[in-house]
Amino acid sequence: MPALSDQVAVTALVVSLVALIIAVGQWVQQWFFTAEGYRRCAESVMGPWSKLRHRRRNFSELRLEVEYETPHIAIVSDQQNADMLLGPVAKLADVPYQEFNLKEKVLAALRATVEPERTTTESSWINTSYGTQMRKTFRSQRIDDPEKSTSASQMQSDAAAVASLRARSELHVTWLLLLKVLYTTYRDLGIRSESNQGNSVYSDTAATDRGASRNNSGSDVTSKMGHSEDGELRGRTNVVVASRTWNWDFMPPDLLRPLATSALNDIVLLALRLNMQWRTLDVEKGVFLADGNGYSLSSTDLRGLGTVFTFRENGLHNPDCQFVPSAEADKLMFGIIPGKSNELVGQNYSLINMDRKMDGSPPRSLLTAIGITNKDLQNQMINKAWQEPHNEIILLLCPFLPLKNSPILFHYTPLWTANPITTPLHYVEGRFAFVEALEDRLEQETNPKLHDLLKQIFNRFNSLKEKHHDDFFDLWFESKIESKFSTPNEKVALSDACREIFDWTSDFFGSQRCCSLTDAAQNTGQPLGQHDSVPVASSDSGPTGASSPGAIQPNQQPDAPNAAKAADYASDGRTYYVHLVAAHAILSFHAVSHVVAHQDHSAAPSEARKQHHRAIFSYDTRTLSAHIQYRIAREYVHCLKDKTFGVASHMRSKGIDWDEGDFEVGWWMLVLRGIVWDMSTMGDRNFGRGWGQWEGEAVPSAFYDMKTPVWIT
């Protein structure tokens, strides 16, 4: 009996121990199961960001909480303090090369996301041709390396592995792919190395050189003119990434995967910069859809959160068309003329309404904003809808777009009314006509001061013709800006030449905030009479060869005046420069109307005209529109001094009483400024027709400032 009782006791003890183990196991299991969402932050879902998840013990509630980190994606310009706006951030394009004020684990996750091949051999991630990060489960080398997979069996194995990886990529959050694509896009924008300026060395491949160049560029040290020490605009924009920590307990029950965050305006802008087109933009319903260039963005409304975007790669994409990475270029994408950064203009003009259209061509709101307030004239201009005044107003109000030392010269805006931009400032015939007319004008002018100023303008036209002949005459296949065979150094040289002349015209109209030709005289303390003006003297002022105080001498850069702000603006609050642009628009409208009214639309360019073009430009003008641009440019010059709609007529109606010489020189400066602006950048939608990323409706200007928080799955 004792033996039996002992056996029973042992059995009972074993059963009790088993029961205890089961109970403890169940309790441990339940304890860990309280960490809701932990498996949804696994490596198969978040990639390298899974290392930023962790369980936090909550003893008061006897459970575990799950905390994880995801990126916040934003676009900021160099004049903004991203750390103040978002907390510690990293410039996405520089993540593999520089250190940032982010946690080491966050930086490691970012680097493993954008360039996993640069991480150590301990990393278990590779880069596939689909732009996603996958576990290295089938081979040690890249699957897309053709040199290492030559046999048929190996190719079949690789194909199976690719199919497996593609299936697994559906598990990943799509913001991993978005980070990779944005990194590649902004990394490839390129910047010229400053280490060898004498040899004009350009490098966009050496990571260390690029990092050093950016570190030494002085972009954080700005001057009073709003430029950095190396002349680069402070408006350069970058994609930055900050880290956000979340607690799964406070996520809505419908959430299946961790979400990254951004702002609505940044998402809309990023899609445009990736050459996508927005099909649907419905703020009230929260429905957004964009596609193009092999990418797509779609949205859904998640209960308890709001708008959630999904990013996909669904085809081939062309990375060659890259846009100037500046705040000014960003505004143009939203149909905003970035005049506020142009010290001669002083304000922005938003032209695309919420119906995704402009209110006329030119827009009535723009005509009113620049001082063309006569309703009858507005109606005439809108009803005729000539493309020349519309495009020229926009072109002349814009600041210089390309950044210093960058070969990226393209921009996109829905504001242009034709492809290419229809204006004699753009067409070869128009530019030739302007130079021809100015040369004739110099032969006629007897006033030495006026002659000298016109000569300075003419010399700069000649400089462009000689040094950048193909771009000045817009020879498509030979021009540096349009040819696919031009080098980055050639594009930078073109941009620098145009920038120098553009800045020269800015100094002429008045550096910084000074916006009238007469302001320069105030530097000398001389009072201005009704017809006293600088820099141009009237034809009956003083002896021949005498210089009035403050006049700009031949081959001399205009001095930057320091006149009071009151002198910068006319009585209606608009700058003198804006009024000059408005006067030119009125002149343009009447000149185009006259040419069209007297143009034989059935006529083609004469054989003599074709021979003339062959002799000068080495090609034929075969289109009627190009032939018309020559006549329009000549009509501009003819209408310049018209008593009814010439430049002086509108300017004097606004209380700006300069001499005739002032108006003439100011207008020729305006023409020169418009031509160099058009030479320096390209926004022709025909360039993108090959992959159709510029077709579709415009994005409303109001979206530029929409900071509504959004999520990315």
Side-chain angles (χ1 to χ4, degrees), residues 395-514:
L395 183 152
L396 293 170
L397 292 176
C398 282
F400 195 81
L401 287 184
L403 299 175
K404 188 175 177 62
N405 295 330
S406 173
I408 309 301
L409 307 180
F410 292 95
H411 71 274
Y412 160 67
T413 181
L415 299 179
W416 306 128
T417 58
N419 309 309
I421 303 171
T422 302
T423 165
L425 300 177
H426 173 81
Y427 276 96
V428 52
E429 287 79 13
R431 293 177 182 177
F432 176 76
F434 284 128
V435 176
E436 188 180 58
L438 183 56
E439 187 174 19
D440 295 342
R441 181 69 182 87
L442 284 171
E443 293 177 357
Q444 302 167 3
E445 183 55 49
T446 58
N447 184 307
K449 301 188 184 77
L450 180 56
H451 184 277
D452 288 342
L453 278 170
L454 293 176
K455 183 67 173 178
Q456 291 185 50
I457 299 173
F458 182 74
N459 288 341
R460 282 163 175 79
F461 273 123
N462 274 339
S463 175
L464 291 173
K465 285 172 53 181
E466 294 172 3
K467 298 179 181 178
H468 302 280
H469 176 274
D470 296 339
D471 285 277
F472 182 78
F473 289 121
D474 196 28
L475 305 183
W476 295 345
F477 297 106
E478 293 84 2
S479 68
K480 302 301 184 295
I481 192 172
E482 297 187 51
S483 173
K484 294 183 178 181
F485 303 103
S486 57
T487 65
N489 279 332
E490 290 174 329
K491 293 181 179 180
V492 170
L494 172 64
S495 174
D496 288 345
C498 293
R499 179 186 291 104
E500 181 181 358
I501 296 177
F502 189 89
D503 290 343
W504 182 77
T505 64
S506 296
D507 291 339
F508 180 86
F509 288 119
S511 297
Q512 299 184 3
R513 299 194 58 84
C514 298

Side-chain angles (χ1 to χ4, degrees), residues 417-681:
T417 58
N419 309 309
I421 303 171
T422 302
T423 165
L425 300 177
H426 173 81
Y427 276 96
V428 52
E429 287 79 13
R431 293 177 182 177
F432 176 76
F434 284 128
V435 176
E436 188 180 58
L438 183 56
E439 187 174 19
D440 295 342
R441 181 69 182 87
L442 284 171
E443 293 177 357
Q444 302 167 3
E445 183 55 49
T446 58
N447 184 307
K449 301 188 184 77
L450 180 56
H451 184 277
D452 288 342
L453 278 170
L454 293 176
K455 183 67 173 178
Q456 291 185 50
I457 299 173
F458 182 74
N459 288 341
R460 282 163 175 79
F461 273 123
N462 274 339
S463 175
L464 291 173
K465 285 172 53 181
E466 294 172 3
K467 298 179 181 178
H468 302 280
H469 176 274
D470 296 339
D471 285 277
F472 182 78
F473 289 121
D474 196 28
L475 305 183
W476 295 345
F477 297 106
E478 293 84 2
S479 68
K480 302 301 184 295
I481 192 172
E482 297 187 51
S483 173
K484 294 183 178 181
F485 303 103
S486 57
T487 65
N489 279 332
E490 290 174 329
K491 293 181 179 180
V492 170
L494 172 64
S495 174
D496 288 345
C498 293
R499 179 186 291 104
E500 181 181 358
I501 296 177
F502 189 89
D503 290 343
W504 182 77
T505 64
S506 296
D507 291 339
F508 180 86
F509 288 119
S511 297
Q512 299 184 3
R513 299 194 58 84
C514 298
C515 306
S516 76
L517 300 181
T518 59
D519 286 340
Q522 298 187 22
N523 291 333
T524 65
Q526 300 283 344
L528 290 174
Q530 183 178 1
H531 295 290
D532 293 331
S533 63
V534 174
V536 183
S538 61
S539 58
D540 59 352
S541 60
T544 301
S547 299
S548 60
I552 301 174
Q553 303 304 316
N555 304 318
Q556 172 190 352
Q557 289 287 346
D559 294 330
N562 297 308
K565 180 179 177 180
D568 303 337
Y569 296 85
S571 58
D572 60 1
R574 300 178 181 90
T575 66
Y576 289 1
Y577 178 82
V578 170
H579 282 304
L580 184 61
V581 173
H584 171 80
I586 296 173
L587 177 152
S588 172
F589 168 73
H590 287 286
V592 175
S593 299
H594 180 270
V595 170
V596 172
H598 296 83
Q599 175 69 28
D600 183 1
H601 290 272
S602 64
S606 65
E607 184 60 32
R609 186 68 184 157
K610 292 181 180 179
Q611 292 177 1
H612 180 65
H613 278 87
R614 279 194 293 267
I616 296 179
F617 310 122
S618 301
Y619 84 107
D620 279 341
T621 299
R622 297 184 174 87
T623 62
L624 182 62
S625 62
H627 179 59
I628 290 177
Q629 293 304 318
Y630 177 87
R631 296 192 58 191
I632 290 175
R634 295 299 303 216
E635 190 65 22
Y636 279 10
V637 179
H638 182 264
C639 294
L640 174 58
K641 298 183 180 181
D642 189 277
K643 299 299 183 183
T644 304
F645 46 80
V647 170
S649 175
H650 176 78
M651 296 286 281
R652 284 176 175 152
S653 71
K654 301 299 180 179
I656 305 172
D657 195 14
W658 298 344
D659 281 345
E660 289 294 334
D662 286 324
F663 294 124
E664 183 177 10
V665 172
W667 183 80
W668 279 110
M669 281 283 184
L670 203 67
V671 170
L672 176 62
R673 182 183 180 91
I675 289 176
V676 297
W677 189 95
D678 184 75
M679 286 180 59
S680 70
T681 182

Side-chain angles (χ1 to χ4, degrees), residues 331 336-342 345-350 369 704-705:
K331 291 174 184 174
I336 301 172
I337 302 177
K340 194 169 185 179
S341 58
N342 184 348
V345 178
Q347 70 175 94
N348 297 328
Y349 304 91
S350 300
Y704 182 78
D705 291 316

Side-chain angles (χ1 to χ4, degrees), residues 188-201:
D188 293 342
L189 288 178
I191 188 168
R192 189 170 65 171
S193 173
E194 301 292 338
S195 61
N196 196 344
Q197 286 286 358
N199 295 328
S200 189
V201 175

